[in-house]
Amino acid sequence: MTADQRFTPASRTDRTAPTDRTDREDRTDPPGSPGPAAGPAGAGAGRKRAAYGKETWKEVCFLLLNLPASIVGFVYALTSVVVGIGLSVTVVGLPLLAAGLAGARLIGRSERARARALLDVAVAEPSPLPPAGGLSWLWGRLKDPVAWRTQLYGLIRLPWGVLTFSVTLVSVVALWPVLPFVARGLAAADRGMVRGLLSPSDELERRITELETDRVVVVDTAAADLRRIERDLHDGAQARLVALAMGLGLAKEKLHEDPEAAAAMVAEAHGEVKLALQELRDLARGIHPAVLTDRGLDAALSSLAGRCTVPVSVSVELPGRPVEAIEGIAYFTVSELLQNVSKHARARSASVEVWRSEDRLLLQVRDDGVGGARTDGTGTGLAGLAERLGAVDGVLVVDSPAGGPTVVTAELPWRNRD
């Protein structure tokens, strides 16, 4: 089963969920960002390439640049490693070697950029080394696997750079008919070298980078929520309470002079108290609803469905309750999706389904509206929701063709409450 098939409405009854995070990331990459299968290597399987198209000329350019790039990389790697190791018996040897390894990271960055630009190969940037000083800095650079593999890349690339430059130049001048095939084959080998030697160290390195990004999203989301709560308190309940205090003060002054006017002002203040209490209840529900804490997702989502402007059916099939954080995120995800249904979908009905599949919690919100929902672009509701889910190792998949229906599936990690 492919990544796209896992969340299609037809496969809903299978109660299955993907367990490979890499597949889920491929579906949530922002538009325009290079995916793991980007470029000619990945695109060639899905479409036929023009023999002398743009991809071919970019590959030829990359192969011709291999020679000067490999000479620079070879000279730098050989000099920095030999000098550093040769002088390691002195005081300056290991610092020179560490400095050479730090510079190798810059060469690796330029080679990855060249591969992205000309070979359309997406290689993630390794995580930067933590700032340190003294012996910590020295030891961190000396044991940096990214820098050592970049040095190895520079050493083995010289003969390959000479070979690819020569073969490509001869093909351009004398073997014109086979140039696209030669370029494609040599470029495929280059892609393999870049992925094998210049990519982040391993799965742990990739996860570190991913978690650093997720941490930024979590911090920004928390700050935005605090600003929203402060704004709602300042503009809503606080303003009403200030008006209430002023009204009661005026009523107190008129209590003996004009009892009837004072009674009217007290009655008006009583109405203001009711409105302030309602706003405080709504604000508390927006932070964490009491029904979710007391009765769980089934009752909380049914309450959400009752406030939606279209009829909503709710089906929750869970063996227990997940931890509070995941339960809260699931609730607010459905809440935002149902708000989108009310505001934008022009639907006649909607449904919410929640179930567990192995170690994943899945939510699916479906409506029969006009469709066209997208996660493209920054600042949109669905894009922000996808970022929030990604921050907790979740994923959001939107299937919304023009004319509808719209099916939005969210996936969250499952952790038992106990």
Side-chain angles (χ1 to χ4, degrees), residues 117-157:
L118 298 177
L119 296 184
D120 295 330
V121 57
V123 179
E125 290 292 332
S127 299
L129 293 175
L135 292 178
S136 298
W137 180 90
L138 181 64
W139 178 242
R141 270 63 185 173
L142 290 177
K143 66 183 184 69
D144 180 14
V146 174
W148 281 110
R149 286 188 290 108
T150 304
Q151 296 286 57
L152 177 61
Y153 179 85
L155 291 173
I156 67 174
R157 288 283 293 179

Side-chain angles (χ1 to χ4, degrees), residues 341 344-350 366-372 400-406:
V341 171
H344 309 298
R346 287 182 278 172
R348 295 183 299 274
S349 64
R366 183 195 310 256
D367 69 73
D368 58 359
V370 296
S400 182
T406 296

Side-chain angles (χ1 to χ4, degrees), residues 14 19 41 77 79 84 95 102 105 118 141 187 199 201 203 218 224 262 270 273 338 346 368 373 382 392:
D14 296 339
T19 57
T79 303
R105 272 189 166 244
L118 298 177
R141 270 63 185 173
S199 61
S201 300
E203 182 66 15
V218 170
H270 184 255
V273 169
L338 288 182
R346 287 182 278 172
D368 58 359
L382 288 177
V392 293

Side-chain angles (χ1 to χ4, degrees), residues 79-212:
T79 303
S80 59
V81 171
V82 169
V83 172
I85 294 178
L87 295 177
S88 59
V89 295
T90 67
V91 176
V92 298
L94 291 180
L96 282 176
L97 181 59
L101 291 170
R105 272 189 166 244
L106 300 178
I107 293 180
R109 184 185 303 172
S110 66
E111 284 296 291
R112 283 187 293 271
R114 187 166 71 99
R116 279 193 291 266
L118 298 177
L119 296 184
D120 295 330
V121 57
V123 179
E125 290 292 332
S127 299
L129 293 175
L135 292 178
S136 298
W137 180 90
L138 181 64
W139 178 242
R141 270 63 185 173
L142 290 177
K143 66 183 184 69
D144 180 14
V146 174
W148 281 110
R149 286 188 290 108
T150 304
Q151 296 286 57
L152 177 61
Y153 179 85
L155 291 173
I156 67 174
R157 288 283 293 179
L158 182 59
W160 177 253
V162 174
L163 175 65
T164 55
F165 178 84
S166 304
V167 172
T168 305
L169 186 61
V170 170
S171 300
V172 169
V173 175
L175 301 176
W176 187 261
V178 299
L179 175 62
F181 306 101
V182 171
R184 191 175 308 175
L186 295 176
D190 266 306
R191 290 188 183 94
M193 290 186 191
V194 171
R195 290 192 182 102
L197 293 175
L198 297 183
S199 61
S201 300
D202 50 20
E203 182 66 15
L204 179 60
E205 174 74 23
R206 188 187 66 81
R207 281 293 287 162
I208 289 173
T209 304
E210 179 181 283
L211 292 173
E212 287 175 346

